[in-house]
Amino acid sequence: MSTAELLKGAAELFPDEVVTQAHVRHFDLPFGAGRFALITLDNGLDHTKPTTFGPQSLANLDAAIDQVEREAAAGEIVGVGITGKPFIFAVGADLKGVELLKKHEDALAIGKGGHEVFKRLAALAVPTFAYYNGAAMGGGVEVGLHCKYRTVSNAIPAFSLPEVFLGLVPGWGGCTLLPNLIGADKAVSVIIENSLNQNKQLKGQQVYDLGIADAIFEGADFLEQSLLWTASVLKGEIVVDRPVIDRGEAWDQAVAKGRFIADSKVHGAAPAAYRALDIIAAAKNGDLQQGYDAEDVALADLIMGGELRAGIYAFNLVQKRGKRPAGAPDKNLARPVTKVGVVGAGLMASQLALLFLRRLEVPVVLTDIDQERIDKGVKYVHDEIDKLLLKGRINQDKANRLKALVTGVLDKAEGFADADFVIEAVFEEIGVKQQVFAEVEAVAPAHAIFATNTSSLSVSEMASKLKNPERVVGFHFFNPVAVLPLLEIVRGEQTDDASLATAFSVAKKLKKTAVLVKDAPAFVVNRILTRFMGEIQNVIDEGTPVEVAEKAVEPLGLPMSPLVLLELVGPAIGLHVSETLNKAFPDRFTVSPNLKSVVEAGKRGFYVYDSGKPELDPEVAALLKQGDTVLTEDQVRARVLDAVAQEIGIMLDEGVVAEAQDIDLCLITGAGWPFHLGGITPYLDREGVSERVNGKKFLEPGVASVPA
């Protein structure tokens, strides 16, 4: 079947493609270097709708190559360049089309189609140049790898091969060409390490330093400079030297490093990284066609597997649902926020003050019970601003301005008389929080919103003794505040729409992913994690060795093991949340006597790190009182997953969130739950746990799975 027929068939499966055109224009290069053809990839939309490659888009590029191929053969042009519209080069395959594929042969056609088109660039009778003028990802990077020369703009914000992050492999030449261009070690960093490191992006300078681009120019006149450079290359005045690639032991060591990174991140639970590494390993012999064929097969297999569908589902949750929260009131009801009050000046409160200051750039005032704590909180914010200044993230003028906006006072009346939004981050005790809000209500203006950063207490109960309980809203951040995007916004029984709309508006300005949750014990993330951790602790208490219980959940590919997570949260906080949930749901949530002993002994966790890796603290081991029921890893995993599936089912029945999608969004953005699993519900569906426990799947067929 010809490339044109392949792409025509694929285009019929995907009628809603946002089509990219490939415009060809001609001009004379400077210095009399000759007539040149430039292909510009452009979908006709502005930079907020990046250019992608669906089947029709590939067909358009194929047609443009037909034209320049004829011109090159006839001696009418001396070279061909490819670039993108302003700010965007191209961001790869159109994933909306990938989601629709139901058959292995259709998936295979996508891989082959891209390869057949891109390979033609490499085969042209004249030199080819890629000008990475803006964001380039996936297939956008790969089309450039097929060219003989590449330039990059130093203004590029994002350049990556993110496929492994989503559950794919770079399947249009990335796994084969990149290691042959820059060596296996650097290629493994780009393809495996960056992808599994929360899809880390490269900037223009890094692209050049890695040797992916041969020249780097300023963003302002990038194309002009690239064309001057092109003319010099074509005239032989500039010769591009590339390092000789080490195809010996260094190549094997790079692949081994990649496997180590994949093991530490996904623990064998996700196939994409390993498939990519197999192709990189085989690319050592320099046989490009063999590599392309392997990419086609890996791509098709992964497209028809659950991991990619879960990855795309997770990507869509974060990019789309996360930006349009389900159940949020009309944004026009939101009130302006021109000053923020923070009750408390401890670490959490200081982190919140810094975030509000940086994102809203309005006055922020901290209060606490004594001046010493207040001064410490303000100093923390000042020190963090100084760090931003040192790193060059802000200039001196902005640093001075931000520092001037943050103050601390003992007297709430003085601090909050003109505040529009007051958030508390004080001790997690209902009486303390009720008293704080009563004091704030006495001095704050009538329109001010009161937000609580509680992790598990009832927002309605907190507001119940106020004259105006309708202005209290839950605003639960996750630690570290600067890193984790989730913000659980809790509607109390009396919370009105204007207060809720203001909370969502503030969340957006803070650049947080806001999810509306019902006022139920521990809300979403802490409730699920506490049930998850509780079951791990139960099996340890009953007699299963600690290392077996920990290892049992490795296939979930979580960012850290349960007991390391407990250490991060703090055993005392973990115990407090489990006690809160035990009070609410005594039949499902237990309080571990061993955890109690660990907290009473003042231990910060279960492990010591004397050898550099976690080992059970002998003092903790001496505290543990265990039964004699020893489970296998499989039995532990089944028990933990059954408990989580049951809890999520109950939460959805109770209407804690609108849909299962919100549970997944919360776990991905608030607990670092793996993207490649799609959060948790697609995994429970795929493993058969949902049906075993609840009698049905959480998601409809085709949502995070291959369509029936």
Side-chain angles (χ1 to χ4, degrees):
M1 193 186 281
S2 72
T3 306
E5 287 168 328
L6 257 182
L7 294 171
K8 188 168 181 287
E12 283 164 8
L13 295 171
F14 184 22
D16 298 328
E17 177 185 349
V18 177
V19 177
T20 297
Q21 304 297 334
H23 305 288
V24 182
R25 58 194 172 110
H26 298 85
F27 44 81
D28 293 319
L29 285 170
F31 317 133
R35 192 92 177 137
F36 192 75
L38 181 67
I39 300 171
T40 304
L41 303 168
D42 190 349
N43 61 6
L45 301 164
D46 70 13
H47 65 92
T48 62
K49 297 279 190 305
T51 306
T52 52
F53 292 120
Q56 186 54 54
S57 307
L58 284 172
N60 290 344
L61 178 57
D62 198 43
I65 296 171
D66 279 343
Q67 180 187 338
V68 296
E69 188 178 58
R70 285 193 302 271
E71 294 165 354
E76 293 166 12
I77 52 174
V78 293
V80 174
I82 186 164
T83 193
K85 67 183 185 182
F87 309 109
I88 306 286
F89 182 78
V91 297
D94 191 321
L95 292 175
K96 291 196 294 298
V98 173
E99 280 179 281
L100 302 171
L101 298 173
K102 298 179 184 181
K103 296 209 284 281
H104 194 274
E105 58 264 35
D106 293 338
L108 204 56
I110 292 284
K112 281 198 185 320
H115 271 133
E116 293 306 318
V117 176
F118 290 2
K119 266 175 13 193
R120 297 183 64 200
L121 279 170
L124 287 173
V126 293
T128 47
F129 297 79
Y131 307 129
Y132 291 124
N133 64 304
M137 294 170 202
V141 169
E142 289 169 306
V143 72
L145 292 177
H146 284 77
C147 295
K148 188 167 183 187
Y149 302 102
R150 284 158 295 283
T151 66
V152 68
S153 161
N154 72 350
I156 284 193
F159 183 105
S160 64
L161 288 169
E163 287 83 354
V164 167
F165 175 67
L166 291 168
L168 278 175
V169 297
W172 285 342
C175 290
T176 305
L177 292 171
L178 193 63
N180 277 296
L181 175 69
I182 62 172
D185 190 59
K186 291 177 182 173
V188 163
S189 290
V190 175
I191 294 169
I192 307 295
E193 192 169 12
N194 290 356
S195 281
L196 293 179
N197 195 2
Q198 292 300 317
N199 193 18
K200 185 174 167 223
Q201 301 294 318
L202 298 169
K203 301 269 194 290
Q205 186 64 48
Q206 293 166 299
V207 174
Y208 175 68
D209 292 343
L210 281 165
I212 299 172
D214 303 307
I216 182 166
F217 301 111
E218 291 292 327
D221 57 350
F222 170 71
L223 193 57
E224 291 85 337
Q225 293 299 324
S226 291
L227 291 170
L228 286 168
W229 181 84
T230 298
S232 298
V233 169
L234 289 171
K235 290 186 75 177
E237 290 159 8
I238 290 177
V239 176
V240 173
D241 282 324
R242 297 202 181 112
V244 175
I245 301 301
D246 186 335
R247 296 182 186 280
E249 204 178 316
W251 194 292
D252 303 332
Q253 283 171 345
V255 173
K257 178 187 93 168
R259 292 194 196 284
F260 176 77
I261 292 165
D263 285 343
S264 67
K265 291 285 188 182
V266 300
H267 308 285
Y274 302 97
R275 292 297 291 267
L277 286 163
D278 289 344
I279 301 168
I280 294 169
K284 181 178 172 180
N285 65 10
D287 183 337
L288 299 185
Q289 190 53 51
Q290 176 195 318
Y292 298 158
D293 292 342
E295 287 175 355
D296 286 341
V297 174
L299 203 58
D301 289 350
L302 291 165
I303 285 173
M304 297 317 291
E307 186 203 354
L308 168 69
R309 307 302 169 129
I312 294 175
Y313 164 81
F315 186 76
N316 287 337
L317 285 182
V318 173
Q319 294 300 322
K320 294 175 184 166
R321 194 179 185 94
K323 292 180 170 56
R324 287 189 287 280
D330 180 351
K331 62 177 186 287
N332 295 321
L333 295 170
R335 301 189 187 115
V337 172
T338 59
K339 183 179 180 182
V340 173
V342 181
V343 186
L347 183 60
M348 190 66 179
S350 305
Q351 287 185 69
L352 295 180
L354 178 69
L355 180 70
F356 279 90
L357 183 67
R358 282 197 67 201
R359 296 281 183 243
L360 270 56
E361 296 191 20
V362 299
V364 174
V365 60
L366 294 130
T367 68
D368 211 317
I369 52 174
D370 60 54
Q371 193 62 45
E372 193 185 336
R373 289 178 202 225
I374 293 168
D375 294 344
K376 196 175 165 191
V378 173
K379 182 180 184 305
Y380 169 87
V381 177
H382 281 192
D383 290 349
E384 291 300 311
I385 291 167
D386 285 337
K387 284 181 199 167
L388 292 170
L389 179 65
L390 269 175
K391 287 178 187 161
R393 304 265 293 278
I394 54 174
N395 59 25
Q396 187 66 57
D397 186 42
K398 184 153 191 186
N400 296 344
R401 204 167 68 244
L402 289 176
K403 282 184 182 178
L405 285 171
V406 63
T407 53
V409 292
L410 259 175
D411 181 7
K412 290 188 181 70
E414 184 190 334
F416 299 158
D418 55 350
D420 307 302
F421 192 97
V422 179
I423 184 164
E424 69 73 27
V426 298
F427 185 64
E428 195 71 347
E429 166 64 55
I430 196 78
V432 175
K433 291 184 188 278
Q434 284 176 331
Q435 186 192 338
V436 160
F437 276 148
E439 290 168 7
V440 172
E441 189 176 48
V443 298
H447 68 270
I449 308 296
F450 300 160
T452 168
N453 183 44
T454 182
S455 58
S456 61
L457 300 174
S458 166
V459 174
S460 306
E461 196 180 337
M462 223 175 282
S464 61
K465 299 188 174 170
L466 297 179
K467 293 196 242 349
N468 299 104
E470 69 280 354
R471 54 180 171 158
V472 177
V473 63
F475 215 60
H476 179 219
F477 289 88
F478 289 78
N479 213 352
V481 170
V483 178
L484 291 173
L486 179 64
L487 185 51
E488 290 178 336
I489 296 189
V490 188
R491 181 172 208 149
E493 284 164 21
Q494 311 255 8
T495 310
D496 63 17
D497 281 354
S499 303
L500 203 59
T502 308
F504 275 100
S505 162
V506 169
K508 191 170 184 179
K509 289 185 182 125
L510 295 176
K511 298 191 175 164
K512 292 294 177 188
T513 299
V515 175
L516 179 62
V517 305
K518 190 174 151 185
D519 187 15
F523 318 125
V524 177
V525 173
N526 284 344
R527 179 159 162 186
I528 292 169
L529 287 185
T530 305
R531 187 76 200 273
F532 175 81
M533 303 281 284
E535 212 50 54
I536 296 273
Q537 279 158 346
N538 288 343
V539 299
I540 293 171
D541 293 353
E542 289 163 20
T544 299
V546 168
E547 61 276 13
V548 174
E550 287 264 85
K551 223 169 151 28
V553 292
E554 272 190 0
L556 284 166
L558 300 174
M560 60 190 78
S561 76
L563 293 181
V564 174
L565 173 66
L566 182 69
E567 203 167 296
L568 184 75
V569 170
I573 292 172
L575 180 65
H576 175 74
V577 177
S578 68
E579 286 170 342
T580 304
L581 282 159
N582 172 253
K583 269 198 208 93
F585 312 116
D587 55 324
R588 301 194 308 281
F589 287 85
T590 51
V591 177
S592 163
N594 281 320
L595 179 60
K596 231 177 184 162
S597 306
V598 168
V599 173
E600 283 164 4
K603 302 301 289 183
R604 290 184 52 201
F606 276 66
Y607 292 128
V608 286
Y609 295 86
D610 300 339
S611 66
K613 52 180 200 286
E615 287 169 15
L616 190 60
D617 182 342
E619 290 177 23
V620 170
L623 293 171
L624 294 182
K625 292 188 170 57
Q626 291 182 283
D628 49 16
T629 306
V630 179
L631 301 183
T632 65
E633 285 178 27
D634 288 347
Q635 288 170 320
V636 172
R637 187 162 56 252
R639 252 187 67 175
V640 171
L641 292 177
D642 284 5
V644 170
Q646 183 195 31
E647 202 57 41
I648 293 171
I650 292 167
M651 288 165 72
L652 291 171
D653 290 343
E654 288 176 357
V656 175
V657 288
E659 289 180 291
Q661 279 86 335
D662 294 312
I663 300 265
D664 292 319
L665 183 56
C666 284
L667 285 174
I668 290 165
T669 56
W673 216 275
F675 237 75
H676 62 262
L677 295 184
I680 181 66
T681 68
Y683 180 80
L684 295 171
D685 284 355
R686 273 208 309 280
E687 296 293 312
V689 182
S690 318
E691 287 178 278
R692 183 170 74 232
V693 174
N694 301 322
K696 62 178 186 201
K697 290 187 169 176
F698 287 114
L699 300 168
E700 296 293 317
V703 178
S705 58
V706 178

